Every structure is written in C-alpha cells, then in structure tokens.
Amino acid sequence: MYTGIDVGGTFTDIISFDGKKFTHVQTLRTAEFLKNPDMVEKYRDAVFAIAGWIREGKVIKTPNIPGFDARLFEGKRVENDANCFAIYAHHVTGFSNIFAVTLGTGIGSAIIAESKLYRGNGLASEIGHAFVGGNERCVCGGIGHLETFFSGWAIKRRFGREMSREELLRLDGFKVLCVEVAKAVLILDPEAIVFGGRISTVLEPGDFRPIYDFLPPEFRPEIRVIKDPLAVAKGAAILAGGRE
C-alpha cells in the first residue's frame, strides 16, 4: 500500500493506493498537520506533494503555505504539487505529452513528456511566476507575475471573495492566463492541456478555448479539466508506488 499526501495552503489530503484503487484516508487542516510532527513521521514512506519550489529533494520556497517548516520534511520524499497533479492527469487521460495547470490558491504547472515527468533542474514549469506586466507584488516577492492576475489569493485580495464561473471568465486576468498557456503550448506542443485545482472545478473545457486564439491553427492540443479535489494526493500516491 502506497501513500500520497497533498500538503496544501489550507487543507492536507491523505490518500492510499494499492496499485489499482485509491482510498481517501483523511483530510485535515494544513495548520494542524504541520503542528503534528508525529503524524508526519507516521507517514515517512509517503510522497508529500508540496505547493512550493523543490530542488534536489529539498523544499526551498513555499509562498502559499503559511507556517511551513521545511525541516519537518527532511529525509522525506517531497514533490511539487503540480508535478503530482500532472502524474495523475497522465494516469487518467493516457496522454503521453501533457501541459498540466493547477488553478487554486496559486497557479502551478507541470510537464509530462513521453509519459515521464519533466523536472528540468528541479524547478521546471513555474508558469505562475512568469512576468506578465503590472507592478503588483506576488506572494513569492516578485513583481507582475501571472499569479497576481488570476490566482485564488489575488482574486481574494482584490474582491474579498470567491467568484462564479461567469465572473472568472470576465476577468482580464483570465485572458492573461490564456496567453501564457498558449506560449507554453508553442514551446512544448503537447497533446493535451489538463487543468485542475479549486478554481478549475467551476470551469469547463470549452471555457479555455480562448487559448486557441493565441495559437497558430496547427497547434490544437485537446483541453481537459479534472475536477477531482484529491487529484494531487492521488498523483503523489502513484509516485510513492514508483510509477510516473
């Protein structure tokens, strides 16, 4: 039995996987999980999906997880949460070449190339922190990043609440997102763009068709939306089983 744990900005999801079937073990608040070293140690053989930048097995930055202490995960197997989502997207869609995008508290992205996770030098595909203009400060400390236009934290900062599907699609930031995803498609030429994360759960694949407006007609990847709130934890569990 393999265990995947999604340590998110608000909640932590724990999933077990026997190679065929996923089982939801527990969901608890991340603040509670991070204050319980014994629980982290209990799952020392799990893969922990962290919303942050990870290089050489070490968490080096987690702007969207308040109170995160990387020392708690020393000696544990950690992976970027968007990477784990991409692994699950590959698992359920079967596409060999995927550009995966998570829209939640932040904006994450990951690459599946020839059915394998592409990590680059460890920080591959951080589209949320691409410079797109403006002078608003990102939670990572940078200025004018994509996250300042369309992330959950940026929407909450600007409007003080979550938004409906219709409201999201009217935001200028949605067009900015589509432009940046189109740029990634031109570089990667994936078979599919797969969206996930809390914001994506209120959107449909057709909502993302404006991406095609910024691409030559020869580039037409399929667009999918995975509305499974446990997708990241499931991807981590797949990784724990040694599969990518």
Side-chain angles (χ1 to χ4, degrees), residues 43-240:
Y43 292 109
R44 66 171 297 106
D45 294 327
V47 169
F48 295 87
I50 309 292
W53 299 356
I54 298 170
R55 178 173 279 154
E56 297 179 352
K58 295 182 178 180
V59 183
I60 59 177
K61 198 165 192 173
T62 56
N64 286 308
I65 306 181
F68 187 88
D69 185 350
R71 294 172 297 181
L72 190 61
F73 296 89
E74 289 179 356
K76 312 287 191 306
R77 189 174 176 190
V78 294
E79 184 58 79
N80 172 269
D81 63 336
N83 285 353
C84 291
F85 173 74
I87 289 166
Y88 183 68
H90 171 61
H91 177 78
V92 297
T93 68
F95 289 115
S96 299
N97 298 284
I98 297 171
F99 183 58
V101 182
T102 57
L103 304 175
T105 302
I107 298 177
S109 57
I111 301 163
I112 297 290
E114 301 300 326
S115 298
K116 298 291 184 182
L117 180 65
Y118 178 76
R119 295 184 178 86
N121 195 32
L123 305 183
S125 192
E126 281 291 347
I127 192 174
H129 300 283
F131 177 79
V132 296
N135 56 10
E136 188 169 351
R137 186 169 297 278
C138 182
V139 290
C140 76
I143 300 292
H145 291 179
L146 177 58
E147 280 200 12
T148 67
F149 283 81
F150 198 70
S151 65
W153 67 258
I155 291 170
K156 186 175 181 180
R157 176 191 288 179
R158 193 167 299 139
F159 301 100
R161 59 179 177 84
E162 296 185 359
M163 307 193 81
S164 69
R165 173 181 175 228
E166 292 74 17
E167 290 173 320
L168 288 169
L169 297 178
R170 288 198 297 267
L171 289 178
D172 290 341
F174 182 71
K175 178 179 177 180
V176 176
L177 170 73
C178 290
V179 169
E180 294 307 304
V181 172
K183 290 177 183 177
V185 168
L186 287 170
I187 294 170
L188 300 171
D189 190 22
E191 296 168 79
I193 310 164
V194 183
F195 289 90
R198 178 177 50 79
I199 292 176
S200 295
T201 62
V202 301
L203 299 174
E204 300 298 332
D207 294 335
F208 293 100
R209 290 191 64 83
I211 292 169
Y212 297 148
D213 295 340
F214 307 106
L215 290 168
E218 293 78 10
F219 291 82
R220 283 297 180 270
E222 188 166 332
I223 297 174
R224 297 277 188 94
V225 176
I226 294 177
K227 299 189 179 188
D228 185 345
L230 301 175
V232 170
K234 290 177 178 178
I238 293 170
L239 262 184

